[in-house]
Amino acid sequence: MSVLTPVGKRNGFSELSHLRTAFYGCLSARADAFFELTDALLCADGPTRTPVELSLLAEHQRGYGSLYGALNHGRLDTNALRDLLVSLPLPRFDGRIVLTVDVSPWLRSDAACSPERLFCLVHGRNGRSSDHVVPGWPYSFVAALTPDRTSWTQVLDAVRLGPVDDAAAVTADQLRAVVDRLIAAGQWQHDDRDILVVMDAGYDVMRLAWVLRDLPVELVGRLRSDRVLRRPAPSREEYYRAHPRGGHPPKHGKEFSLARPESWPEPSVATVNDTPRYGKAEACAWDRLHPKLQQRSAWIDHDGELPLVEGTLIRLNVDHLPGDRDAPPVWLWSSATGATPDDVDFVWSCYLRRFDLEHTFRLFKQSLGWTRPRLRDPRAADRWTWLVIAAHTQLRLALPLTADRRKPWEKTTRPDIALTPTRVRRGFRHIRPHLGSPARAPKPTRPGPGRPPGSRNRRSATRYDVGKTVKRPETVTERNQRC
């Protein structure tokens, strides 16, 4: 048996080691403690219950005080880390980059002294009637999806939504920054197809399509089943032929109500496919459908005539969901027009891959302990969030280097299936000695005197209200009065 490391693994070790060195370069204050905390998070045997337990691992050579010192007072260059994440090899769908954006909350219901908390929607187990709101810090994540059915995604950015932020504006700025970084890193060339961005029904995909119309992106979002769109307006010749007495041609065509099939014309594209998980998938597409916008809500600050945001409407109907559950039809809207049958199938198949990000959120919260620390300062929560993202990125690069160390009661992973992030984390401790660590050795020190025995804290912590502090004007008159 040869004791030499294969060339593929040598390249994998080199790439992972380079990432670790570059990540260390993004740290300034408390860099060594921050880096060791990341290694301890990667090498823990089980789910992270509390960060202080990570200080007991061999990979964390400093005391537990340095752990919270790094989170509360450390400095992390997030822009440099974002540039580092987009410079890594990206998964592609037939050469095309597919991104997704979604919000996941860090719930802090009992942290009355933590500022900048918002009311976060938590979905119940028994349908919409059991949904409720809980105070917390919502984070918007942008990740690159993989074409295979795995639980892996490549997280590229994270932004915390504050009390004064508009969610649509923050999402637009976040997507613009990520796309600009991808172009600057050479991930997208001018002869490549547009970057596809898929999102769920919580986003105003048509508003985002208009704001990001100058970027090489195609936005796809799910619509509610009660939406009403408009067909293209007839040409002047068609209008005057139908109305010989004249009149001003309309700006919008007839209504297209998603809830009324009698308002649907013949689809421009119809496809039928057999899928292993959903049975027969039927997709119908209508070209150049747009909403009839009103100057209120997200469009209240728009100056001039409201635009026509045309796109392709897709209705996807499958036989069943996994587990033989009933599957209601799904309505998707794409910002691209003139879609072919192949384009329609590509769009809805990429949208189904969007749910892989939910596996990443579950890994962050249940295994890596993203929402476990009881931090008061939201800036410390931002540092911990980026630490978790950096650890997840190292796990993804360690995937081809790690052996499957399954437990006796776990199923064996087939050779053609990638290991899950949890199993890669289980073997990271065995490959870490081959990677090296740029962190310096800890210096001997003595603990401080601390608070004198018997003394009490005389300064009560400030308590903060929960929710938005800026209200959007509802009418043009109200907007003009504020100006």
Side-chain angles (χ1 to χ4, degrees), residues 31 63 140 172 178 201 203 212 229 307-308 379 402 420 440:
S140 175
V178 171
Y203 292 91
L212 303 177
L229 302 181
L308 286 177
R379 292 184 294 272
T402 309
T420 62
R440 295 166 295 185

Side-chain angles (χ1 to χ4, degrees), residues 16-336:
L16 181 54
S17 179
H18 172 74
L19 171 67
R20 289 164 59 84
T21 304
F23 170 61
Y24 183 79
C26 299
L27 309 173
S28 53
R30 314 291 180 109
D32 299 322
F34 207 95
F35 191 87
E36 286 189 357
L37 178 58
T38 309
D39 273 2
L41 180 64
L42 287 168
C43 297
D45 292 332
T48 301
R49 302 302 181 188
T50 175
V52 72
E53 293 181 355
L54 299 177
S55 63
L56 303 178
L57 300 180
E59 289 76 14
H60 194 278
Q61 303 180 23
R62 290 164 170 78
Y64 64 89
S66 65
L67 184 149
Y68 285 103
L71 294 179
N72 293 322
H73 306 291
R75 281 198 292 270
L76 170 65
D77 190 351
T78 56
N79 290 328
L81 184 53
R82 289 185 174 102
D83 294 337
L84 176 62
L85 294 177
V86 300
S87 65
L88 300 175
L90 290 178
R92 298 172 186 265
F93 291 68
D94 295 331
R96 190 176 185 183
I97 300 175
V98 178
L99 306 179
T100 184
V101 57
D102 202 357
V103 174
S104 183
W106 181 337
L107 302 181
R108 298 286 284 142
S109 58
D110 56 347
C113 299
S114 295
E116 303 181 12
R117 291 182 303 159
L118 299 178
F119 288 108
C120 305
L121 178 63
V122 179
H123 297 287
R125 296 179 179 271
N126 300 321
R128 292 295 184 184
S129 60
S130 59
D131 293 351
H132 55 285
V133 291
V134 179
W137 292 315
Y139 280 83
S140 175
F141 291 86
V142 176
L145 300 177
T146 59
D148 303 325
R149 191 170 70 88
T150 65
S151 55
W152 289 98
T153 62
Q154 185 169 343
V155 181
L156 302 178
D157 192 22
V159 174
R160 178 172 48 85
L161 303 177
V164 299
D165 293 332
D166 179 75
V170 171
T171 303
D173 295 340
Q174 186 182 19
L175 290 175
R176 181 178 295 275
V178 171
V179 172
D180 289 342
R181 284 190 170 90
L182 290 174
I183 296 175
Q187 299 282 8
W188 183 87
Q189 305 295 332
H190 290 286
D191 54 346
D192 293 343
R193 298 185 62 186
D194 289 348
I195 300 173
L196 186 66
V197 183
V198 296
M199 58 193 68
D200 208 8
Y203 292 91
D204 190 350
V205 60
M206 300 168 186
R207 170 69 177 174
L208 293 175
W210 172 256
V211 175
L212 303 177
R213 64 190 182 279
D214 58 326
L215 294 179
V217 295
E218 176 187 350
L219 272 65
V220 176
R222 184 168 65 91
L223 302 181
R224 300 192 313 268
S225 58
D226 59 349
R227 289 289 298 269
V228 177
L229 302 181
R230 291 300 185 111
R231 304 184 206 173
S235 62
R236 288 182 176 270
E237 293 77 9
E238 294 174 345
Y239 177 77
Y240 289 132
R241 193 181 305 116
H243 302 81
R245 301 182 63 179
H248 185 70
K251 182 179 178 181
H252 308 280
K254 296 182 179 180
E255 285 189 351
F256 188 108
S257 177
L258 276 59
R260 292 189 296 110
E262 60 271 13
S263 65
W264 307 346
E266 287 295 323
S268 55
V269 175
T271 63
V272 179
N273 295 274
D274 291 328
T275 62
R277 287 176 57 83
Y278 305 99
K280 184 174 67 173
E282 300 178 353
C284 300
W286 293 266
D287 195 22
R288 297 184 58 196
L289 265 66
H290 63 274
K292 184 179 180 181
L293 303 177
Q294 303 290 337
Q295 196 160 9
R296 60 187 181 187
S297 186
W299 298 93
I300 196 167
D301 294 328
H302 183 83
D303 297 327
E305 186 179 2
L306 292 174
L308 286 177
V309 187
E310 294 185 334
T312 302
L313 180 67
I314 302 174
R315 183 180 187 268
L316 175 64
N317 192 14
V318 298
D319 286 343
H320 57 82
L321 295 176
D324 291 334
R325 295 174 295 166
D326 294 335
V330 176
W331 291 94
L332 304 176
W333 187 87
S334 170
S335 60

Side-chain angles (χ1 to χ4, degrees), residues 5 13-14 17 429-436:
T5 305
F13 278 114
S14 176
S17 179
R429 171 174 287 176
H430 301 275
I431 67 173
R432 179 180 173 272
H434 304 281
L435 301 173

